[in-house]
Amino acid sequence: MPNLLDAKLIPAAAAATRSATQCFKLILSNHISMDANTRDEEAGLPGNPRTQRPRSSVPSFLFISFMLFMLTSHNGDEFLARHQYQEALQSLTYQLSNYTSWMNGTTSNFTLPERDSTLTPLMDAFHVQGNILDPTRESYYSNVTGFIHGDAAFTNITLSSLASNETFRWKHEAENFMAGINTTNITERLGSWDWAASTKVALSVLEKDPPGIEQSSFSTSPIALIHGRIELTAPSDADNLRLEFEGLHFVSNGSIYGFAEPTGRHIDIRLLPSLVPEAFRNQTAQVIEPELQARINKLKNLIDAGVIDSESSGNDEGPKTTCPFIFQAQIHPVAVPEYLMQDLENELQNPTGIWTVPPPKLSVTGLLLSKECGILYEVTNTEGLRSRTFFRKVTTYAGLTGIAYLTILILFSRQTERSRTPSGISRVSRWTFLAQATMDSVSFAGHITFAILAEGRPSVSLIAPAFLACIVFVHEAQFSALIHQIQGPENYALPPPPTPAAPAPATTESSDSTQEPLLPLHSPMPIPTDSTPSPNPTAAVQQPTILQAATDNTPVSFFSFFIHHVRTDPQARLWLTLVIFLTFIVRVILSPLLSVLFVAVTYSSIWLPQIVRSIHRGRSSGFSKEYILGTTFCRLFIALYFLACPKNVLEVEPRPWAWGLALFVLLQAFVVILQDSLGPTFFLPQRFAHVKAYDYHPPMPMQLPDSESPEQSLGDCAICMDAILIDPSLRRRSKSFDMREEWDEKGTSASSRKNGKSVDSVLNAMQMGVGANSARKNYSLAPCSHLFHTECLEKWLAIKNICPQCRRPLPPL
């Protein structure tokens, strides 16, 4: 029975495949035929004239979004995360069973190690120990949830290094701490990280009460659990080492104890009681069991719901080190009574609008130790920011950035209304808008990433600047594509005209009365017709095209069709280039060094391409002052907030060169403004300031059949179809307006007039020269040799910058 079923299904599937292939070929043939018959009227390409409908931007935007999603998504994360969750669930279940047995005094595979007696003297040497304070005068922060950053001083505490250094006052305590350590595997444990270059440390911690235990039940001091990360940063290359952190916070004396391991290495929280003083050992052991149970329940819920926790998923990169660390810190007391600090904490957790004391500075001092690797980091000069305060800061930043992007969007809309005509578009640089679109695309991706990482209400506020940045990016990209389409034919070079036949030599003077052609008889670009034979008959059949393959039912691969479409469609090339560029940005922008380099390059290119184009074209930009100044200040506000503000939301270190970059951008903006009033080349030396512009009013040969005719015409204007007339008072016997070999009978000749009439002849000559220049202003000769009224051509160029007769691109008038 299965064989019979297969015998029926296989031919049917083959027939369906053949039908689908034929349909695809038919659609492909029709599509390519439509493209082949389409004529680009703006560029003057040959073909059957068709009216092109404007392409919608929605498919292009959806295509870009789909490509970015496919290139940045990770389809295997769900499977890997589920596998990791199941392994972690088994491990935690095993740990909980053994820990519960140990707590109950029954047989267990777990044993809590004793506290290292050499650790306490070393901590005392750095004054990392807390004391009980007078609650009426001083107090500690009862919750350190938030972000803490400061300096980290590295010291090599291996025995060999300590023996060669006598300046450490705590040398004896460190030698006792490192005694008996096997140093044979230290190099392997240290890994590839540059420990000496790490001078900055940042802590991101979340503090919570033990689940199921009231703080009032503790006999000595309330205890809170801390989970988070410790990051060591090397400012030289902006790289960082991330350590996972699990610890305990003793609220009464402000002491923090915990373990830190590189990302990917598991921390056994059952060992936390071995770090605390002996008086707190039993009390600490009681909070571990409910925490293990809470984590088991969380993993079960994640597995059942199929949710991927980005924080729990594995890291694709290998660990930079395998050194385990012990972290002990002491919170600095503040000169605020305990009850006022409690009111402040309640207001931060549950805002009600009541008055509280200003939040005092949160700072800590700590040690980060690795006995197995001989590493000691002293953490000093720290400053913390509570999570609630940070969220308010993020909301304020999102509001101000949203206003800046809304201002940019409004100014851009007003400017595009002014520069929407081809004449206005021919004056602007597409690279100016492309650079700004690139900046806005990165800003959109950055704000979306920031919104994902900032959970809660701040993530909603960050959606506003991300959405506005996306809208500005789409409009600027569309306008840049329109500029590219309008300015595309500018670089088109006319083919050389055919060599004219040698004119017959004039034998008699009567040849002057014959009418010469006003314009060249040849066309700058002859349009081929069916009757025109091909100069190379074999050239058209050397290689079959996609169209021929489609019409001849020849199999065409999708890759061949895609390459053909990209090569023949300028917009497809533009969008493909944009997708590749944005994908590259999304992949590499996470590097701080590349981010800073990207900001420096793009901000330097805001107005610089426009300045260069104005110089090259000899015309100003046409930008309004409000657009130039408003866009410049709004973009500088966003850049200087991160590069110059020391307390920005991302804690980016201020860059001294940021102010130089801002001055350079402002200088560009003022140069663009001055080009409108002083000329595009006002700041260049005289020898470079001259722009070679096309002369629309060259001297024209003029010989008419009837020299006594009241109307002297150069021909008909191709726009208004009226004759191009010349003032009859300027009739001459010469062949050109500028040739003054012979004047009218009212003129004079030096050999036939008296000296008394020479003044009249000079005035007559001056009048003739001025009149000739005025007459030349009445007509305009295009580079394609078509003649127009100057007034008619000016009106036409305000609408289109192509010749109305042959569709060739025209330079500015």
Side-chain angles (χ1 to χ4, degrees), residues 254-424:
S255 298
I256 298 175
Y257 305 88
F259 293 107
E261 291 277 357
T263 302
R265 294 174 60 89
H266 175 69
I267 299 177
D268 192 353
I269 64 173
R270 298 177 301 173
L271 302 178
L272 286 176
S274 64
L275 295 178
V276 302
E278 189 67 29
F280 302 100
R281 189 181 180 107
N282 294 333
Q283 182 177 340
T284 304
Q286 297 176 6
V287 305
I288 302 300
E289 183 177 359
E291 176 62 19
L292 286 174
Q293 186 61 53
R295 296 189 179 188
I296 291 174
N297 296 334
K298 179 181 178 181
L299 280 177
K300 289 181 178 179
N301 295 332
L302 289 176
I303 293 175
D304 295 339
V307 178
I308 299 177
D309 187 2
S310 59
E311 296 184 358
S312 301
S313 59
N315 190 5
D316 295 336
E317 300 180 357
K320 299 177 182 178
T321 180
T322 57
C323 296
F325 288 88
I326 296 173
F327 181 71
Q328 183 169 340
Q330 177 61 42
I331 302 175
H332 295 174
V334 294
V336 178
E338 184 176 351
Y339 74 96
L340 292 179
M341 285 295 295
Q342 189 61 40
D343 292 341
L344 175 62
E345 180 65 28
N346 294 335
E347 181 64 20
L348 290 175
Q349 295 294 336
N350 302 300
T352 59
I354 65 172
W355 177 90
T356 60
V357 294
K361 180 181 178 181
L362 172 60
S363 60
V364 300
T365 299
L367 282 183
L368 188 62
L369 284 170
S370 178
K371 190 173 185 178
E372 291 79 3
C373 297
I375 297 175
L376 183 147
Y377 279 103
E378 183 180 7
V379 179
T380 56
N381 301 326
T382 59
E383 183 175 359
L385 185 65
R386 292 294 307 277
S387 295
R388 299 290 179 177
T389 306
F390 172 75
F391 292 158
R392 293 179 183 176
K393 192 173 182 179
V394 170
T395 304
T396 304
Y397 158 77
L400 294 176
T401 307
I403 294 174
Y405 270 112
L406 183 61
T407 304
I408 293 175
L409 181 60
I410 294 174
L411 294 176
F412 176 79
S413 300
R414 292 182 179 178
Q415 182 59 46
T416 51
E417 290 297 328
R418 296 183 55 181
S419 304
R420 180 63 65 176
T421 62
S423 177

Side-chain angles (χ1 to χ4, degrees), residues 669-689:
F670 284 113
V671 168
V672 174
I673 294 175
L674 292 177
Q675 282 181 320
D676 288 338
S677 56
L678 302 181
T681 59
F682 74 93
F683 58 94
L684 293 179
Q686 189 64 30
R687 58 177 179 173
F688 300 109

Side-chain angles (χ1 to χ4, degrees), residues 193-194 196-200 233-239 593 655:
W193 181 250
D194 189 359
S198 304
T199 58
K200 297 293 181 180
T233 305
S236 57
D237 55 0
D239 198 4
L593 180 61
R655 302 299 198 275

